[in-house]
Amino acid sequence: MVEDLGSAGERHVSAPSRGAPAIQLVGVRKSFGEVAAVDGVDLSIAAGEFFSLLGPSGSGKTTVLRMIAGFEVPTAGAVLLDGQDVTRTPPYDRDVNTVFQDYALFPHMNVRRNVEYGMRVRGVPASERRRRAGEMLDIVRLGGFAERKPSQLSGGQRQRVALARALVNHPTVLLLDEPLGALDLKLREEMQVELKAIQRQVGITFVFVTHDQGEALSMSSRVAVFNHGRIEQVGTPREIYDQPASAFVAGFVGSSNVLGVPVSTRLFGVAAVHSVRPESVHLADAGRADPVDGVRVGGTIADVQYLGAGTKVRVAIDAESVLTVTDTSERLAGRQVGAPVDVIIPPGAPFQVAG
């Protein structure tokens, strides 16, 4: 139970109940001068989740992560870990570890000593440190790299060392602040698989901050989408993608045709904003019969982007409105800019969203 103690924004939280969330944010707000970086966030993250905070730069997601870690103190509201109010508890007294984008490894120490560092600070005996560090390096597939220096490792290997160091003390929560941002695309995709596998193996709650929709959708059990210091939507990756709660979510998560009220009224007879995913839209020859049913509107191809296995076609349906269609390159082969086409939007493809 949480009680509001008044204008100071402080909260008093009773003793933890059985089955309390790993993390709970209650009315959290953080202001820097006149700017509200986080503006009234309520969030509950269950133990063992891989939870992503997703949003553009300046949306408040990293500030939320820093308040969970204890690096920032909320202007108002409460931060709970395992049911305990830690709003004003310093970072070193929270059972939380953080992995940063730059990894922050000690260059003069080898891999094993980097992983052991937190245990040394806690006074863990040397034999126990070595055993636990070895086990964790095996988990991150670096068992044969213990004696190497960070400078002798690749970017992905250094990231796994940082993970091992953060996990070796078995924190309740591991916070990851855009840890894949410095990696190239192929390595980033490989590390997404690695991170998910490691999280399943160790069973620790992961909170992952990213602006990359693909990362959030591919790894997370649930996602919170941030915009202007507030949460627009919380849900599973499929819920976020298939049922966006707002035009912002529809446009930010993946690719979407966001149709305003005038176009929606003309096409669907409903005066509301709609989202239609490009892969749900069908491209047909102008004026010819087609087996796909749905709302049909004519237009002109404005752009064709060949993407290898897939192709993206943008169709201008009037002077101000463009619909994007994606399909396999085989199915969209031969489409040319300037050609007249029909766009078919099947039943169930349009999804009504908040403007």
Side-chain angles (χ1 to χ4, degrees):
M1 176 176 165
V2 179
E3 293 181 2
D4 194 343
L5 296 186
S7 60
E10 297 183 359
R11 308 276 181 126
H12 170 72
V13 185
S14 61
S17 59
R18 183 175 297 177
I23 301 169
Q24 189 174 7
L25 307 180
V26 184
V28 168
R29 177 182 171 85
K30 180 64 179 180
S31 297
F32 298 98
E34 299 297 318
V35 178
V38 176
D39 192 11
V41 166
D42 294 289
L43 183 63
S44 181
I45 301 174
E49 279 199 273
F50 195 125
F51 195 97
S52 287
L53 310 180
L54 172 66
S57 297
S59 61
K61 60 190 186 299
T62 298
T63 302
V64 166
L65 190 87
R66 290 177 61 81
M67 287 190 284
I68 296 171
F71 302 140
E72 299 284 355
V73 177
T75 306
V79 178
L80 289 73
L81 297 178
D82 268 350
Q84 295 279 1
D85 187 351
V86 297
T87 307
R88 283 165 175 75
T89 302
Y92 53 81
D93 280 338
R94 302 188 187 197
D95 193 17
V96 170
N97 273 344
T98 306
V99 176
F100 300 99
Q101 184 174 333
D102 63 0
Y103 315 139
L105 299 179
F106 298 111
H108 63 288
M109 295 183 182
N110 63 24
V111 166
R112 176 178 53 77
R113 292 179 62 200
N114 263 283
V115 175
E116 289 182 356
Y117 181 77
M119 293 184 287
R120 288 182 59 197
V121 172
R122 295 186 178 198
V124 176
S127 59
E128 177 69 4
R129 293 200 309 265
R130 183 177 287 268
R131 182 188 68 79
R132 286 167 56 182
E135 289 177 351
M136 190 55 63
L137 286 173
D138 286 340
I139 288 175
V140 299
R141 298 194 299 113
L142 288 176
F145 293 76
E147 302 306 317
R148 294 195 187 185
K149 295 288 183 64
S151 60
Q152 298 172 299
L153 304 177
S154 69
Q157 290 167 339
R158 288 196 296 272
Q159 198 235 30
R160 291 205 293 270
V161 175
L163 272 173
R165 184 177 63 184
L167 290 168
V168 75
N169 283 321
H170 302 289
T172 300
V173 175
L174 182 67
L175 306 175
L176 301 109
D177 188 9
E178 305 218 34
L180 308 184
L183 305 180
D184 62 52
L185 177 60
K186 184 173 174 141
L187 186 52
R188 194 159 65 240
E189 290 173 345
E190 291 174 357
M191 286 308 305
Q192 290 171 19
V193 177
E194 293 274 350
L195 273 176
K196 194 171 181 179
I198 290 168
Q199 194 269 340
R200 281 198 303 264
Q201 186 171 354
V202 299
I204 290 171
T205 305
F206 277 26
V207 179
F208 187 91
V209 164
T210 182
H211 64 272
D212 187 303
Q213 305 94 325
E215 286 181 357
L217 295 178
S218 67
M219 293 189 293
S220 312
S221 51
R222 286 193 304 149
V223 179
V225 183
F226 280 75
N227 184 32
H228 295 308
R230 293 180 175 271
I231 294 177
E232 294 260 344
Q233 185 174 359
V234 177
T236 65
R238 184 170 293 277
E239 288 168 345
I240 294 289
Y241 188 83
D242 290 344
Q243 302 174 29
S246 68
F248 173 80
V249 175
F252 185 75
V253 179
S255 179
S256 186
N257 295 295
V258 179
L259 307 178
V261 171
V263 176
S264 291
T265 303
R266 174 158 63 94
L267 295 182
F268 313 125
V270 179
V273 178
H274 285 79
S275 168
V276 183
R277 294 295 183 187
E279 65 270 20
S280 299
V281 184
H282 179 71
L283 202 62
D285 294 330
R288 292 189 182 180
D290 194 279
V292 176
D293 293 325
V295 174
R296 188 164 184 154
V297 59
T300 302
I301 295 179
D303 184 56
V304 178
Q305 288 182 286
Y306 175 73
L307 304 172
T311 291
K312 180 184 294 185
V313 177
R314 289 165 54 83
V315 179
I317 60 173
D318 59 34
E320 299 180 352
S321 303
V322 174
L323 285 174
T324 299
V325 182
T326 58
D327 208 332
T328 64
S329 292
E330 181 180 1
R331 289 179 181 172
L332 293 179
R335 298 296 183 180
Q336 299 292 327
V337 173
V341 290
D342 285 348
V343 174
I344 302 175
I345 304 174
F351 192 87
Q352 191 169 318
V353 298

